[in-house]
Amino acid sequence: MKNPKPFKTKLNYFLITLGICALLCFAYAAIAGIFQDYQTVIDRTNWNIKNEIAKNTFILTNAFFSVGVICTAFGLLVLAANGGAFEMLIYGMRRFFSLFQKDPTKVKFKTFADYHAYHSEQEPSAFSHFIIVGLTFVGISMIFLAIYFKYNV
């Protein structure tokens, strides 16, 4: 059985993912106009927002939800790749591009069975930190959505 990764490595994966998602969320909110005054944002958009609090929670809801969904989807994509969902596609692309080498017969894997045997021996990529951080951001967006509905009714 393969050795599990140490806690410090998992924590580093989690903190790096959290930092990147927080940076993307901040960038989204800044571009959407969270630092601009209410009237400026309302004049340049067609949002039906009644006050400053509703504007800020609307922007934060969109920012956290967008980043959270993308992060969660990336984690699910890595999970599918770990399960072998893309092995045949990857093998086919490698074989196709090997045709353009100087010696096309000199390839690392002659058959898909060889590639699959090699790939199944490799340690799977970590993915849980993407899903945890992504779902946390989606959860935070739901909190901002509740605040938005409270102040924009």
Side-chain angles (χ1 to χ4, degrees), residues 48-67:
N48 185 18
I49 297 175
K50 297 186 180 358
N51 56 34
E52 183 78 24
I53 295 173
K55 175 200 73 126
N56 290 339
T57 55
F58 179 77
I59 291 171
L60 290 173
T61 298
N62 289 341
F64 276 92
F65 187 77
S66 300
V67 172

Side-chain angles (χ1 to χ4, degrees), residues 47 60 72 96:
W47 298 342
L60 290 173
T72 303
F96 175 73

Side-chain angles (χ1 to χ4, degrees), residues 16-131:
I16 290 169
T17 304
L18 183 66
I20 290 171
C21 286
L23 185 66
L24 290 172
C25 189
F26 177 79
Y28 183 104
I31 291 170
I34 199 159
F35 298 118
Q36 297 174 353
D37 65 336
Y38 170 74
Q39 196 58 45
T40 305
V41 173
I42 295 304
D43 289 344
R44 72 174 171 84
T45 63
N46 61 355
W47 298 342
N48 185 18
I49 297 175
K50 297 186 180 358
N51 56 34
E52 183 78 24
I53 295 173
K55 175 200 73 126
N56 290 339
T57 55
F58 179 77
I59 291 171
L60 290 173
T61 298
N62 289 341
F64 276 92
F65 187 77
S66 300
V67 172
V69 165
I70 290 170
C71 187
T72 303
F74 190 73
L76 293 174
L77 187 67
V78 173
L79 175 65
N82 283 344
F86 306 111
E87 278 187 2
M88 182 61 81
L89 179 66
I90 294 168
Y91 175 74
M93 293 303 292
R94 291 180 102 181
R95 288 292 292 181
F96 175 73
F97 286 117
S98 71
L99 295 173
F100 302 109
Q101 294 176 351
K102 288 183 180 179
D103 187 10
T105 59
K106 189 178 179 184
V107 292
K108 188 171 182 179
F109 306 108
K110 299 266 186 221
T111 65
F112 176 70
D114 296 337
Y115 177 77
H116 179 69
Y118 173 79
H119 189 271
S120 60
E121 292 173 0
Q122 300 299 315
E123 187 173 334
S125 301
F127 63 90
S128 60
H129 56 281
F130 291 118
I131 295 173

Side-chain angles (χ1 to χ4, degrees), residues 51 53-54 57 143-153:
N51 56 34
I53 295 173
T57 55
I143 293 169
F144 283 125
L145 183 64
I147 296 169
Y148 169 75
F149 282 133
K150 180 180 179 186
Y151 286 100
N152 201 44
V153 174

